[in-house]
Amino acid sequence: MKHFIDINNFKKKEIDEIISVAKKIKKNPKNYFSSCKDKTLGLIFEKQSLRTRLSFNVGMQKLGGSVLELQSKDIGFDNKREKAEDVLNVLSQYIDCLMIRNNNHKQIVNLSKENILPIINGLTEYSHPCQILGDFLTIQEKFKNYKNVNIVWIGDYNNVLRSLIHLQNIYDFKLNVVVPNQIFKNYENEFIKFKNKNLKYLADPIEGVKKSNCIMTDVWVSMGEKNNKTKYFKNFTVNKKIMSKAEKNVIFMHCLPAKRGQEVTSDVLDGKNSVVLMQAKNRMYIQQAILIYVLKK
Ligand code: CP
Ligand code: NVA
């Protein structure tokens, strides 16, 4: 049984295949109109979502499948009425795969290990693999050869960054990780496990952005986080000055939702180098390719 939990569970060949299918669907959606005919996708969101909800929902329908959004509490997925594994067994009698967004990465991993139903990680506190594959598709469309792209991440050490690091470990592009020192020190041991000659940590955004042609950021405080860390992010707002220190062909990326005026200024978010809406759109083609991947026998 196939699941989609984290990018570092995959071989390069498998990710290449998912991206290639996404490109083909984008180019010729009609060829895929019945790829998921008679299949049903369940969606569970224990946190808010606009893009992931819409891209999975519309994407599945465009592949000829159907979608059911399920509320954890209503179906007893919160381990109170019956065990989550028991709920999964019952779900598998009706639906063909399940996307979950929650604050409990371990639970998603454990449910996938049951091999009862293909499980897709729609974001946890640990990672956001669907987002980063969509972003990689955007990068490949903007730069014909991703190997020449120098990416800089300026922001928090969070779920989106982790999936980006997982992707870097497979594709070996240059990635500068710029995170405030006070935050980074809590993740240093984790970071060291992934470190390589093209993956660097820097504390200074101006230093980190040099020679980069792709600047990525995200909110400073993620959904479900209680600690307000914004005080550590002085000089971390991606603004015109930071953009001007990068290469001329630089693109600005943000998974959205954005807090305008915090991690990014409105002139950058809405500016000519920003590809944020292309990222949002590409989420759908990637979700479709992931669905085809997990549902293929
Ligand atoms: N980028 C992203 O996952 O957006 P949502 O939280 O709105 O789904
Ligand atoms: N890091 C953000 C991403 C939202 C898509 C969060 O988890 O809230």
Side-chain angles (χ1 to χ4, degrees):
M1 182 167 289
K2 291 191 261 177
H3 306 280
F4 187 79
I5 307 296
D6 270 314
I7 292 177
N8 59 344
N9 303 146
F10 290 91
K11 295 192 177 73
K12 180 174 177 294
K13 217 175 105 190
E14 293 165 314
I15 301 289
D16 281 344
E17 177 60 19
I18 294 174
I19 301 236
S20 149
V21 171
K23 284 179 182 167
K24 285 182 197 156
I25 301 174
K26 187 169 183 179
K27 199 166 172 198
N28 223 329
K30 281 194 186 131
N31 289 351
Y32 291 84
F33 271 2
S34 49
S35 301
C36 293
K37 195 170 169 280
D38 299 327
K39 300 288 182 196
T40 301
L41 162 69
L43 297 174
I44 293 183
F45 289 97
E46 294 181 0
K47 304 200 251 194
Q48 282 188 310
S49 172
L50 170 63
R51 285 140 287 260
T52 308
R53 174 175 270 125
L54 268 289
S55 55
F56 269 112
N57 204 317
V58 177
M60 182 59 161
Q61 291 185 56
K62 288 189 178 186
L63 297 176
S66 52
V67 184
L68 268 180
E69 193 163 334
L70 307 160
Q71 306 302 324
S72 293
K73 276 192 191 141
D74 294 349
I75 61 166
F77 204 62
D78 50 5
N79 268 313
K80 286 186 183 144
R81 194 161 179 243
E82 54 195 323
K83 283 184 73 184
E85 286 77 3
D86 293 335
V87 175
L88 204 60
N89 267 319
V90 175
L91 285 174
S92 71
Q93 306 303 308
Y94 308 110
I95 67 173
D96 302 281
C97 65
L98 182 64
M99 188 235 74
I100 309 172
R101 166 172 289 197
N102 72 10
N103 234 348
N104 188 351
H105 192 73
K106 259 196 198 132
Q107 185 194 31
I108 295 196
V109 172
N110 289 340
L111 290 175
S112 70
K113 283 185 185 156
E114 300 281 331
N115 276 329
I116 297 168
L117 200 57
I119 304 287
I120 299 172
N121 171 4
L123 179 149
T124 66
E125 80 290 2
Y126 176 77
S127 58
H128 196 3
C130 296
Q131 178 68 49
I132 284 303
L133 279 204
D135 293 350
F136 198 36
L137 171 60
T138 304
I139 289 170
Q140 291 192 21
E141 287 179 341
K142 293 302 286 185
F143 302 93
K144 292 295 164 252
N145 188 354
Y146 67 81
K147 286 178 187 144
N148 300 330
V149 181
N150 291 337
I151 304 178
V152 58
W153 172 273
I154 302 178
D156 187 24
Y157 204 107
N158 68 9
N159 43 11
V160 178
L161 171 62
R162 263 193 208 94
S163 292
L164 179 63
I165 290 174
H166 292 164
L167 190 79
Q168 191 279 339
N169 272 222
I170 296 177
Y171 287 91
D172 200 33
F173 47 75
K174 286 209 175 87
L175 172 61
N176 282 352
V177 170
V178 185
V179 173
N181 210 265
Q182 299 93 322
I183 293 174
F184 183 74
K185 62 180 191 218
N186 301 322
Y187 298 96
E188 209 162 352
N189 289 341
E190 177 184 333
F191 182 76
I192 284 166
K193 290 187 198 135
F194 294 98
K195 217 177 156 295
N196 55 61
K197 71 174 187 341
N198 285 330
L199 175 64
K200 289 199 183 100
Y201 168 71
L202 297 101
D204 176 17
I206 298 290
E207 198 55 40
V209 83
K210 276 183 198 158
K211 296 208 173 113
S212 69
N213 34 28
C214 174
I215 300 179
M216 276 196 193
T217 190
D218 185 13
V219 288
W220 291 340
V221 182
S222 286
M223 290 182 281
E225 275 195 294
K226 291 187 182 74
N227 180 0
N228 192 333
K229 307 170 291 189
T230 50
K231 58 178 180 288
Y232 300 129
F233 289 91
K234 204 169 165 272
N235 302 327
F236 269 68
T237 305
V238 179
N239 53 20
K240 269 189 179 158
K241 183 179 166 201
I242 289 193
M243 292 294 286
S244 73
K245 305 284 177 195
E247 294 292 298
K248 278 220 163 60
N249 65 346
V250 67
I251 58 170
F252 172 76
M253 302 186 84
H254 191 312
C255 60
L256 302 179
K259 281 250 183 292
R260 289 170 183 266
Q262 275 201 6
E263 74 273 8
V264 59
T265 53
S266 279
D267 53 3
V268 171
L269 188 69
D270 304 327
K272 64 176 181 10
N273 305 78
S274 171
V275 297
V276 297
L277 290 180
M278 186 172 170
Q279 284 177 264
K281 183 169 182 175
N282 277 340
R283 290 291 304 279
M284 188 175 79
Y285 306 112
I286 284 293
Q287 324 296 34
Q288 290 177 309
I290 291 170
L291 287 167
I292 290 172
Y293 167 81
V294 297
L295 289 170
K296 206 155 121 192
K297 285 273 174 312

